[in-house]
Amino acid sequence: MLNEALTALAAAGGAGVVQAASTDAWATLRQQIARLLGRGDSERERVELERLDRTASVLGSAAASEIELLRVRQEASWQARFEALLESLDDREQEAAAASLQLALQQLDGMGSQASQSWTGNIDMHADASGSSKVYQVGQGNLNISGS
C-alpha cells in the first residue's frame, strides 16, 4: 500500500498525462512516461507508448459533451498505472521512480499544470493551512498537489 504522498504523486501523474495530451509537451512527456513504465524493457515501453497514444486519441476526438467524463476516466486509469508501478517496487526503486515521474511532470509547470511539485527524497505529510492543496514535505522541498 502506498503512502498518501506517493498516491498524490500518482494522481498528479494521471492528471499530468491527460493535461499534456493536447500540448506541445506531449512528445517529451509521452517518452518519459513510457520509459518509466517500461522499466528498461523495450517491448513494454512500446506498449506504453501505444496506451499513451490511445489516451491522446480518445481525448482529441471526444465530443465536447463527453470530454470531462473522458478526462476523469483517463486520469484515474493513469493514476492506477502509476500506483501499480510504485507498489511493485522496493523502497529504493520506488524513490527513483517517483523522482522520474516528478521530473516528467515538471515539464508541464510552465504550461499551467494542475500539479506543481518538487521531489528530492523522503516524504513527510502535512496539510496546507488554506485547505486548497496538500503539501507534502519531500526532503528539502515540497510536493504540492492542488486541483484547478
Side-chain angles (χ1 to χ4, degrees):
M1 179 109 174
L2 293 178
N3 65 38
E4 204 172 324
L6 288 175
T7 300
L9 180 61
V17 166
V18 169
Q19 181 180 355
S22 63
T23 69
D24 293 338
W26 180 243
T28 301
L29 182 72
R30 170 184 179 273
Q31 289 290 16
Q32 291 171 326
I33 296 301
R35 196 170 335 155
L36 173 66
L37 293 170
R39 308 282 304 146
D41 179 327
S42 60
E43 178 60 22
R44 283 177 33 196
E45 188 173 325
R46 184 191 62 73
V47 169
E48 295 303 334
L49 286 169
E50 289 174 3
R51 282 188 178 122
L52 288 157
D53 290 341
R54 279 194 304 273
T55 292
S57 177
V58 164
L59 295 171
S61 64
S65 61
E66 63 184 10
I67 190 67
E68 190 55 35
L69 176 61
L70 290 173
R71 288 177 64 84
V72 168
R73 285 182 181 167
Q74 289 295 321
E75 284 179 16
S77 175
W78 285 103
Q79 176 180 349
R81 294 196 62 67
F82 293 130
E83 287 176 354
L85 169 69
L86 293 168
E87 286 175 343
S88 73
L89 303 172
D90 65 34
D91 289 345
R92 196 178 109 249
E93 293 171 320
Q94 194 176 70
E95 187 171 319
S100 293
L101 179 55
Q102 169 57 40
L103 184 61
L105 292 173
Q106 286 176 349
Q107 300 286 325
L108 303 177
D109 282 346
M111 304 177 89
S113 173
Q114 289 180 349
S116 172
Q117 314 87 4
S118 60
W119 178 272
T120 58
N122 298 324
I123 303 168
D124 296 318
M125 300 181 311
H126 66 278
D128 182 347
S130 71
S132 64
S133 66
K134 294 192 185 242
V135 179
Y136 301 96
Q137 184 67 37
V138 185
Q140 291 84 29
N142 290 319
L143 169 64
N144 299 304
I145 307 298
S146 58
S148 61

